[in-house]
Amino acid sequence: MHTRLAPSPWIQRWAHLLPARARVLDLACGSGRHVLWLAERGHALTAVDRDAEALTPLRAHAECIVADLEAAPWPLGERQFDGLVVTNYLWRPLWPRLRAALAPDGVLLYETFARGNETVGRPARADFLLEPGELLQACEGLRIVAYEHGFLPAPERFVQRVAAVRLADESAGPARHALG
């Protein structure tokens, strides 16, 4: 029996930004720790990963799509979601697709490895590590609710993480999203 990994504290902290019964895409979801946690909170999940075996136990909780995000066409067409969750995954060519998949007032929760991680473990290749401020640049035009870049212990790692919102109407004034 596999032990269920705990959701990222970052995702847990900022998930309150998602509207009730949100349509959420968990991209490169792996074992589905966020799929299961968000499904328990009443959200409608779409899980995408290239590992069909990893998706099998998630089928009762989410629409599951097996896709190689790096070598195959974008598997979601023009679909949009109220929330996007991405953790421990970086494929820069997908950033325009992620922005397009985020519905107006949609929430992006993103956390992945940053430069410096090569000093403490894997991933260590620059292709898989964000440069300083790179995640903020990728979120240009979104309302940044929270951002962190730094070192985390247990396990030791360097990360960047963001909680951001695609505002439906910038002229409507400042968005009111409660800080966690």
Side-chain angles (χ1 to χ4, degrees), residues 69-96:
L69 296 166
E70 298 168 22
W74 178 246
L76 298 161
E78 302 302 315
R79 291 175 61 185
Q80 290 192 315
F81 298 86
D82 304 313
L84 297 168
V85 173
V86 185
T87 59
N88 300 335
Y89 181 73
L90 176 61
W91 186 247
R92 291 172 178 92
L94 284 181
W95 282 345

Short mmCIF file of all heavy atoms in Angstrom, two decimals, residues 69-96:
data_model
loop_
_atom_site.label_atom_id
_atom_site.label_comp_id
_atom_site.label_asym_id
_atom_site.label_seq_id
_atom_site.Cartn_x
_atom_site.Cartn_y
_atom_site.Cartn_z
N LEU A 69 3.46 16.23 -21.58
CA LEU A 69 3.33 17.67 -21.77
C LEU A 69 4.51 18.28 -22.51
O LEU A 69 4.41 19.40 -23.01
CB LEU A 69 3.17 18.34 -20.40
CG LEU A 69 1.91 17.95 -19.66
CD1 LEU A 69 1.98 18.38 -18.20
CD2 LEU A 69 0.68 18.54 -20.34
N GLU A 70 5.61 17.57 -22.58
CA GLU A 70 6.81 18.11 -23.21
C GLU A 70 7.01 17.65 -24.65
O GLU A 70 7.71 18.29 -25.41
CB GLU A 70 8.03 17.73 -22.36
CG GLU A 70 7.92 18.34 -20.97
CD GLU A 70 8.93 17.77 -19.98
OE1 GLU A 70 9.97 17.23 -20.42
OE2 GLU A 70 8.67 17.88 -18.77
N ALA A 71 6.37 16.54 -25.03
CA ALA A 71 6.62 15.98 -26.36
C ALA A 71 5.37 15.84 -27.21
O ALA A 71 5.46 15.46 -28.37
CB ALA A 71 7.29 14.61 -26.22
N ALA A 72 4.22 16.13 -26.65
CA ALA A 72 2.96 15.96 -27.38
C ALA A 72 2.20 17.29 -27.38
O ALA A 72 2.51 18.19 -26.60
CB ALA A 72 2.12 14.86 -26.73
N PRO A 73 1.18 17.41 -28.24
CA PRO A 73 0.38 18.64 -28.24
C PRO A 73 -0.34 18.84 -26.90
O PRO A 73 -0.60 17.89 -26.17
CB PRO A 73 -0.64 18.39 -29.36
CG PRO A 73 -0.06 17.31 -30.20
CD PRO A 73 0.78 16.47 -29.29
N TRP A 74 -0.66 20.08 -26.61
CA TRP A 74 -1.41 20.46 -25.41
C TRP A 74 -2.71 19.65 -25.39
O TRP A 74 -3.49 19.71 -26.35
CB TRP A 74 -1.68 21.94 -25.42
CG TRP A 74 -2.49 22.48 -24.30
CD1 TRP A 74 -3.74 23.01 -24.39
CD2 TRP A 74 -2.12 22.58 -22.91
NE1 TRP A 74 -4.18 23.42 -23.15
CE2 TRP A 74 -3.18 23.16 -22.22
CE3 TRP A 74 -0.99 22.20 -22.20
CZ2 TRP A 74 -3.16 23.41 -20.85
CZ3 TRP A 74 -0.96 22.45 -20.83
CH2 TRP A 74 -2.04 23.04 -20.18
N PRO A 75 -2.98 18.89 -24.34
CA PRO A 75 -4.11 17.96 -24.34
C PRO A 75 -5.47 18.57 -23.97
O PRO A 75 -6.47 17.86 -24.01
CB PRO A 75 -3.70 16.94 -23.29
CG PRO A 75 -2.90 17.73 -22.31
CD PRO A 75 -2.14 18.73 -23.15
N LEU A 76 -5.51 19.85 -23.65
CA LEU A 76 -6.75 20.42 -23.12
C LEU A 76 -7.44 21.41 -24.04
O LEU A 76 -8.42 22.05 -23.66
CB LEU A 76 -6.46 21.08 -21.77
CG LEU A 76 -5.96 20.08 -20.72
CD1 LEU A 76 -5.26 20.78 -19.59
CD2 LEU A 76 -7.11 19.24 -20.23
N GLY A 77 -6.94 21.54 -25.26
CA GLY A 77 -7.58 22.45 -26.21
C GLY A 77 -7.68 23.85 -25.65
O GLY A 77 -6.73 24.38 -25.09
N GLU A 78 -8.85 24.42 -25.77
CA GLU A 78 -9.09 25.79 -25.31
C GLU A 78 -9.77 25.84 -23.94
O GLU A 78 -10.23 26.90 -23.52
CB GLU A 78 -9.96 26.54 -26.34
CG GLU A 78 -9.34 26.59 -27.73
CD GLU A 78 -7.97 27.26 -27.75
OE1 GLU A 78 -7.81 28.31 -27.12
OE2 GLU A 78 -7.06 26.70 -28.38
N ARG A 79 -9.83 24.71 -23.25
CA ARG A 79 -10.50 24.67 -21.95
C ARG A 79 -9.86 25.65 -20.97
O ARG A 79 -8.66 25.87 -20.99
CB ARG A 79 -10.44 23.27 -21.36
CG ARG A 79 -11.30 22.29 -22.12
CD ARG A 79 -11.15 20.88 -21.63
NE ARG A 79 -11.52 20.74 -20.23
CZ ARG A 79 -11.38 19.62 -19.55
NH1 ARG A 79 -10.87 18.54 -20.12
NH2 ARG A 79 -11.75 19.55 -18.29
N GLN A 80 -10.72 26.20 -20.11
CA GLN A 80 -10.24 27.09 -19.06
C GLN A 80 -10.68 26.55 -17.71
O GLN A 80 -11.69 25.85 -17.59
CB GLN A 80 -10.78 28.51 -19.25
CG GLN A 80 -10.17 29.21 -20.44
CD GLN A 80 -10.50 30.68 -20.45
OE1 GLN A 80 -11.62 31.08 -20.21
NE2 GLN A 80 -9.49 31.49 -20.73
N PHE A 81 -9.90 26.92 -16.68
CA PHE A 81 -10.13 26.42 -15.33
C PHE A 81 -10.15 27.57 -14.34
O PHE A 81 -9.49 28.58 -14.53
CB PHE A 81 -9.01 25.43 -14.96
CG PHE A 81 -8.98 24.22 -15.86
CD1 PHE A 81 -8.29 24.24 -17.06
CD2 PHE A 81 -9.66 23.06 -15.51
CE1 PHE A 81 -8.27 23.14 -17.90
CE2 PHE A 81 -9.65 21.95 -16.34
CZ PHE A 81 -8.96 21.99 -17.54
N ASP A 82 -10.88 27.35 -13.25
CA ASP A 82 -10.94 28.34 -12.17
C ASP A 82 -9.66 28.33 -11.35
O ASP A 82 -9.38 29.29 -10.63
CB ASP A 82 -12.12 28.04 -11.23
CG ASP A 82 -13.44 27.99 -11.97
OD1 ASP A 82 -13.71 28.90 -12.78
OD2 ASP A 82 -14.20 27.02 -11.75
N GLY A 83 -8.92 27.24 -11.43
CA GLY A 83 -7.67 27.13 -10.70
C GLY A 83 -6.68 26.23 -11.42
O GLY A 83 -7.09 25.27 -12.07
N LEU A 84 -5.42 26.58 -11.32
CA LEU A 84 -4.33 25.76 -11.86
C LEU A 84 -3.35 25.50 -10.72
O LEU A 84 -2.94 26.44 -10.03
CB LEU A 84 -3.59 26.48 -12.98
CG LEU A 84 -4.38 26.81 -14.23
CD1 LEU A 84 -3.61 27.76 -15.12
CD2 LEU A 84 -4.68 25.54 -14.98
N VAL A 85 -2.99 24.24 -10.55
CA VAL A 85 -2.01 23.85 -9.55
C VAL A 85 -0.85 23.18 -10.26
O VAL A 85 -1.05 22.24 -11.04
CB VAL A 85 -2.64 22.87 -8.52
CG1 VAL A 85 -1.59 22.31 -7.58
CG2 VAL A 85 -3.76 23.55 -7.75
N VAL A 86 0.35 23.68 -10.00
CA VAL A 86 1.56 23.09 -10.55
C VAL A 86 2.60 23.07 -9.43
O VAL A 86 2.91 24.11 -8.86
CB VAL A 86 2.12 23.90 -11.74
CG1 VAL A 86 3.32 23.18 -12.36
CG2 VAL A 86 1.05 24.15 -12.80
N THR A 87 3.10 21.87 -9.12
CA THR A 87 4.15 21.76 -8.11
C THR A 87 5.24 20.83 -8.62
O THR A 87 4.97 19.82 -9.27
CB THR A 87 3.62 21.23 -6.76
OG1 THR A 87 3.03 19.94 -6.95
CG2 THR A 87 2.60 22.18 -6.14
N ASN A 88 6.46 21.20 -8.29
CA ASN A 88 7.64 20.38 -8.62
C ASN A 88 7.71 20.03 -10.11
O ASN A 88 8.11 18.93 -10.47
CB ASN A 88 7.67 19.11 -7.77
CG ASN A 88 7.72 19.42 -6.30
OD1 ASN A 88 8.19 20.48 -5.89
ND2 ASN A 88 7.24 18.51 -5.49
N TYR A 89 7.32 20.97 -10.94
CA TYR A 89 7.36 20.75 -12.38
C TYR A 89 7.65 22.07 -13.08
O TYR A 89 7.08 23.11 -12.72
CB TYR A 89 6.02 20.19 -12.89
CG TYR A 89 6.02 19.91 -14.37
CD1 TYR A 89 6.71 18.84 -14.89
CD2 TYR A 89 5.33 20.75 -15.25
CE1 TYR A 89 6.72 18.59 -16.26
CE2 TYR A 89 5.34 20.51 -16.61
CZ TYR A 89 6.03 19.43 -17.11
OH TYR A 89 6.05 19.19 -18.47
N LEU A 90 8.51 22.01 -14.07
CA LEU A 90 8.85 23.19 -14.84
C LEU A 90 9.10 22.80 -16.29
O LEU A 90 9.98 22.01 -16.59
CB LEU A 90 10.12 23.86 -14.28
CG LEU A 90 10.65 25.07 -15.04
CD1 LEU A 90 9.62 26.19 -15.07
CD2 LEU A 90 11.96 25.55 -14.41
N TRP A 91 8.27 23.34 -17.17
CA TRP A 91 8.48 23.23 -18.61
C TRP A 91 8.07 24.58 -19.18
O TRP A 91 6.90 24.85 -19.43
CB TRP A 91 7.68 22.07 -19.20
CG TRP A 91 7.96 21.82 -20.65
CD1 TRP A 91 7.10 22.00 -21.69
CD2 TRP A 91 9.18 21.38 -21.24
NE1 TRP A 91 7.70 21.69 -22.87
CE2 TRP A 91 9.00 21.31 -22.63
CE3 TRP A 91 10.44 21.04 -20.72
CZ2 TRP A 91 10.00 20.90 -23.50
CZ3 TRP A 91 11.43 20.64 -21.59
CH2 TRP A 91 11.20 20.57 -22.97
N ARG A 92 9.05 25.44 -19.35
CA ARG A 92 8.81 26.83 -19.72
C ARG A 92 7.95 27.01 -20.96
O ARG A 92 7.14 27.94 -21.02
CB ARG A 92 10.15 27.54 -19.87
CG ARG A 92 10.86 27.73 -18.55
CD ARG A 92 12.27 28.27 -18.75
NE ARG A 92 12.95 28.49 -17.49
CZ ARG A 92 13.73 27.60 -16.89
NH1 ARG A 92 13.91 26.40 -17.44
NH2 ARG A 92 14.32 27.89 -15.75
N PRO A 93 8.06 26.15 -22.00
CA PRO A 93 7.21 26.35 -23.17
C PRO A 93 5.71 26.27 -22.88
O PRO A 93 4.90 26.73 -23.67
CB PRO A 93 7.64 25.22 -24.12
CG PRO A 93 9.06 24.94 -23.74
CD PRO A 93 9.10 25.13 -22.24
N LEU A 94 5.31 25.74 -21.73
CA LEU A 94 3.89 25.65 -21.38
C LEU A 94 3.31 26.93 -20.79
O LEU A 94 2.10 27.05 -20.68
CB LEU A 94 3.65 24.51 -20.38
CG LEU A 94 3.69 23.10 -20.91
CD1 LEU A 94 3.41 22.10 -19.79
CD2 LEU A 94 2.70 22.90 -22.04
N TRP A 95 4.15 27.88 -20.41
CA TRP A 95 3.62 29.05 -19.73
C TRP A 95 2.53 29.78 -20.50
O TRP A 95 1.51 30.15 -19.91
CB TRP A 95 4.75 29.98 -19.30
CG TRP A 95 5.44 29.47 -18.06
CD1 TRP A 95 4.98 28.51 -17.20
CD2 TRP A 95 6.69 29.88 -17.54
NE1 TRP A 95 5.88 28.30 -16.19
CE2 TRP A 95 6.94 29.13 -16.37
CE3 TRP A 95 7.63 30.80 -17.95
CZ2 TRP A 95 8.08 29.29 -15.61
CZ3 TRP A 95 8.78 30.95 -17.18
CH2 TRP A 95 8.99 30.21 -16.02
N PRO A 96 2.64 29.99 -21.82
CA PRO A 96 1.52 30.63 -22.53
C PRO A 96 0.24 29.78 -22.46
O PRO A 96 -0.86 30.32 -22.37
CB PRO A 96 2.03 30.76 -23.97
CG PRO A 96 3.52 30.72 -23.85
CD PRO A 96 3.83 29.82 -22.69
#
